[in-house]
């Protein structure tokens, strides 16, 4: 699912803080911005501060270049940063422009808003507390947060695996109107939950699977209550610092470290394209507000998929996925992580930005994609289209494919 601030025309489709697995039909319309071939040459750069590894063979690199440029031209993606790392070599390149007005090129060291990739960090925090014996995945959420409908029946496991049945606050009209009315507003977790709790559940706890950002907002509160730290502090001290991810953070305002690209979206009151770079992402919170870089997600994707920060038995529980109703059998969801054709990780979308951060254990290969638009193409996420085109080349037996309407 993507983080959509809906327009008057597509409001029912929801502002959904960036989930990867359950892509909804996002509504028509795409940017009229220039394609990568119109704007800037492909930029090939070594990872900052890292020793260069062997590059993938030139024929494969050329094929990936062509695939990326074709998707960017078709879907009107202004700029993209792409990294592939694996036993066959590295591929790290930037395409297109960071700003369509200034025509400045994308660079591989830019920061980006990562939407629902945030969920992988928040749920990892909960699982670390499990390893410390401070919480159990089968604890009811009522042990930690008051006022949750059916809170005595909804477990932390169900929240992490999108099986609570709680309404998704980002799909509620009143919430969407509040965001559009003030794009600089700060939303507290309780404000977000109030929107959700005012709506009936969509199914009894544990008896379905439906993506809801409400689930991860609650899990963020659990981390804060049990650890005694704010969620940004916890994620910094327990996850990003130990992993040497110096450029990854959870902001509490619209602060956006540079350098970063300009973000383009049509999630506006009139449906016209706008610059969303400095919009406040606080409404995403524990579910979708984080910022990162290509190099940091290159570290995070395999760490997430292999359980680098967790006990093996806890990671095994994380990877117990369930099928997504109505989706192909190749798509399933675990505890804050998805499996798409064997690729483990998450993607994210927030107005102006989309990210894919995944790892393929079978080939020990990492793929990270960051783009500066969330404008759908024929109902599909542009970042997912890029991931599909790239994996058709680098892992033809394991294609990352999210069909339109999923």
């Amino acid at each position: 699912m993507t983080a959509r601030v809906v327009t008057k025309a597509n409001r029912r489709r929801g502002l959904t803080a960036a989930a990867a697995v359950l892509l909804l039909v996002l509504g028509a319309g795409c940017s009229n911005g220039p394609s990568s071939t119109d704007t800037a040459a492909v930029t090939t750069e070594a990872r900052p501060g890292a020793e260069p590894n062997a590059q993938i063979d030139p024929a494969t690199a050329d094929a990936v270049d062509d695939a990326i440029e074709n998707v960017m031209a078709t879907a009107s993606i202004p700029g993209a940063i792409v990294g592939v790392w694996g036993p066959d070599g590295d591929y790290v390149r930037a395409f297109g422009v960071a700003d369509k007005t200034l025509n400045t090129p994308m660079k591989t060291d830019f920061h980006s808003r990562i939407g629902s990739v945030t969920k992988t960090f928040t749920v990892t925090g909960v699982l670390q507390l499990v390893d410390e014996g401070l919480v159990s995945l089968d604890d009811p959420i009522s042990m930690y947060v008051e006022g949750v409908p059916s809170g005595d029946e909804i477990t932390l496991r169900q929240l992490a695996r999108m099986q609570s049945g709680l309404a998704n606050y980002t799909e509620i009209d009143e919430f969407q109107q509040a965001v559009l009315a003030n794009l600089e507003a700060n939303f507290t977790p309780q404000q977000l939950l109030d929107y959700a709790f005012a709506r009936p559940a969509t199914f009894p706890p544990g008896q379905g699977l439906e993506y809801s950002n409400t689930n991860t907002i609650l899990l963020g509160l659990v981390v804060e209550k049990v650890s005694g730290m704010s969620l940004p502090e916890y994620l910094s001290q327990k996850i990003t610092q130990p992993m040497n991810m110096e450029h990854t953070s959870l902001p509490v305002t619209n602060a956006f470290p540079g350098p970063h690209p300009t973000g383009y979206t049509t999630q506006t009151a009139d449906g016209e394209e706008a610059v969303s770079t400095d919009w406040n992402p606080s409404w995403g919170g524990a579910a979708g507000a984080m910022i990162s870089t290509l190099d940091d997600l290159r570290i995070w994707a395999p760490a997430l998929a292999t359980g680098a920060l967790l006990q093996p038995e806890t990671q095994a529980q994380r990877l117990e996925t369930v099928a997504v109703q109505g989706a192909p059998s190749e798509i399933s969801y675990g505890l804050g992580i998805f499996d798409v054709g064997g690729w483990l990780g998450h993607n994210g979308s927030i107005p102006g930005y989309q990210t894919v951060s995944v790892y393929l254990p079978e080939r020990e290969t990492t793929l990270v994609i960051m783009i500066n638009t969330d404008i759908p193409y024929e109902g599909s996420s542009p970042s997912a289209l890029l991931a599909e085109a790239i994996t058709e080349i680098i892992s033809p037996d394991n294609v990352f494919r999210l069909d339109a309407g999923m």
Side-chain angles (χ1 to χ4, degrees), residues 4 128 131 191 198 250 292 296 314 378:
R4 296 274 305 160
Q128 288 178 317
D131 280 343
Q191 286 176 307
L250 175 59
S292 191
D296 274 10
T314 305
E378 295 186 349

Side-chain angles (χ1 to χ4, degrees), residues 14 19 56 60 109 126-127 135 149 192 226 234 244 248 256 272 288 305 335 347 385:
I56 62 173
T60 302
D109 63 346
V126 173
L127 296 177
V135 305
L192 303 176
V226 175
Y234 183 93
N244 294 316
T248 301
F256 197 170
E272 295 298 315
L335 304 181
N347 73 347
L385 293 175

Side-chain angles (χ1 to χ4, degrees), residues 240-264:
T240 60
Q241 288 184 30
M243 297 300 299
N244 294 316
M245 297 167 60
E246 299 178 357
H247 303 292
T248 301
S249 62
L250 175 59
V252 295
T253 67
N254 68 339
F256 197 170
H260 57 251
T262 300
Y264 299 94

